[in-house]
Amino acid sequence: MKKLLIGLGFVAVLGTGFSFVNAYRRVVNNSFGPGEHLEYRVHYGFLNAAEATVDVSPTLYKVNERPCYRVNVDGRTVGAFDLVTRIRDTWRSYIDTSAILPQKFYTNLQENDYRKEENITFNHATNTVKAEERTERDVFHVPDNVHDLISGYYFLRTIDFTHIANGQVLEVPAFYDDMVYNMKVRYRGRQVLKTKQGKINVIRLHPVLPSNKLFKEEESIRIFVSDDVNKIPVKVEVDLWVGSMVMDLRQNSGLKQDLKYF
């Protein structure tokens, strides 16, 4: 689940149409707000492998003296997969409501015997991030408008893809696991996607992945985002060296606009 989220984290793009006020950009956001709830089911072949929930808190939080959305992402393995690889992961991002930038990022990973819990605080005025619990190498320098993995996805939802050419690759920096990643995504146009709920118009996005031992090719992840105000993933397809995984949207509430199936 962690590796899948890292892959999905490559779905952040550099937007347009914002201005800088007191060192903070201002991003117009009409796509999400407090109280949004999404539930996903992950399949590996014919088996249920995992489930995930993504929640925007119904109330705002103040972090670094800035109003923020609190976004929780919880992932867990289920069924037979839980017997082989037990995962209970939580990621939490406090996203600035005006700049759509992270102010704080929290991870709590429980994957078999592996454990990691960490709080990262962002300082966009000094372009640094601080690992709160550490005593050595706790401050890292980062580029302007750097994201965490979750805030990068929410920033993506503010983009107007009518101004993006088919095949164009967009980039944005993101910080995770003590490193700055140059996240890339390739826009692959629009299509009609068939789901269990019906057909739906979607935007097709392909994160551009570095060479690794998990994913088969550079564009092994295909994300189908609702072609509407919300821009939420309704389906994700992942090609691995050891098979394929599919993540489907199962439940949703609190969207800006009801999804339009036909």
Side-chain angles (χ1 to χ4, degrees), residues 133-181:
E133 290 83 9
R134 300 190 199 173
T135 57
E136 297 181 3
R137 201 188 177 207
D138 60 338
V139 176
F140 301 83
H141 293 278
V142 294
D144 288 337
N145 298 323
V146 71
H147 282 274
D148 61 41
L149 298 183
I150 296 176
S151 69
Y153 155 64
Y154 279 85
F155 178 49
L156 170 69
R157 293 175 62 181
T158 69
I159 304 301
D160 183 358
F161 284 95
T162 60
H163 302 297
I164 306 299
N166 195 342
Q168 183 176 345
V169 176
L170 304 166
E171 305 179 28
V172 75
F175 181 84
Y176 182 75
D177 206 15
D178 297 354
M179 293 183 62
V180 174
Y181 295 86

Side-chain angles (χ1 to χ4, degrees), residues 54-239:
V54 184
D55 286 301
V56 183
S57 172
T59 59
L60 298 180
Y61 288 75
K62 182 172 284 189
V63 182
N64 296 337
E65 299 303 314
R66 302 276 298 185
C68 294
Y69 303 111
R70 190 193 73 181
V71 181
N72 273 8
V73 178
D74 294 295
R76 63 191 301 269
T77 48
V78 297
F81 274 78
D82 202 41
L83 300 176
V84 178
T85 303
R86 190 176 191 273
I87 294 175
R88 300 290 186 272
D89 288 351
T90 296
W91 297 267
R92 181 177 302 133
S93 181
Y94 293 86
I95 303 174
D96 191 291
T97 58
S98 295
I100 314 298
L101 287 170
Q103 295 292 349
K104 186 180 284 289
F105 184 64
Y106 168 78
T107 49
N108 185 348
L109 307 182
Q110 301 178 31
E111 302 175 358
N112 291 331
D113 295 332
Y114 175 78
R115 297 290 185 273
K116 178 180 179 180
E117 187 171 12
E118 187 171 57
N119 284 284
I120 299 291
T121 299
F122 290 76
N123 187 328
H124 294 284
T126 61
N127 281 348
T128 57
V129 297
K130 179 177 173 57
E132 298 294 347
E133 290 83 9
R134 300 190 199 173
T135 57
E136 297 181 3
R137 201 188 177 207
D138 60 338
V139 176
F140 301 83
H141 293 278
V142 294
D144 288 337
N145 298 323
V146 71
H147 282 274
D148 61 41
L149 298 183
I150 296 176
S151 69
Y153 155 64
Y154 279 85
F155 178 49
L156 170 69
R157 293 175 62 181
T158 69
I159 304 301
D160 183 358
F161 284 95
T162 60
H163 302 297
I164 306 299
N166 195 342
Q168 183 176 345
V169 176
L170 304 166
E171 305 179 28
V172 75
F175 181 84
Y176 182 75
D177 206 15
D178 297 354
M179 293 183 62
V180 174
Y181 295 86
N182 188 28
M183 294 185 175
K184 300 179 182 180
V185 63
R186 181 172 282 118
Y187 171 63
R188 287 299 193 186
R190 291 171 157 86
Q191 71 175 70
V192 175
L193 180 70
K194 185 177 180 180
T195 73
K196 290 185 177 181
Q197 291 80 15
K199 295 180 179 179
I200 186 171
N201 293 317
V202 296
I203 296 168
R204 184 166 175 160
L205 303 174
H206 290 204
V208 180
L209 305 174
S211 178
N212 62 81
K213 297 180 180 180
L214 179 64
F215 302 103
K216 291 183 64 175
E217 300 175 350
E218 185 182 70
E219 295 185 26
S220 288
I221 299 178
R222 298 172 296 278
I223 304 179
F224 303 91
V225 177
S226 61
D227 189 6
D228 58 8
V229 169
N230 306 297
K231 299 188 186 75
I232 63 168
V234 295
K235 185 175 185 178
V236 180
E237 297 175 342
V238 182
D239 293 330

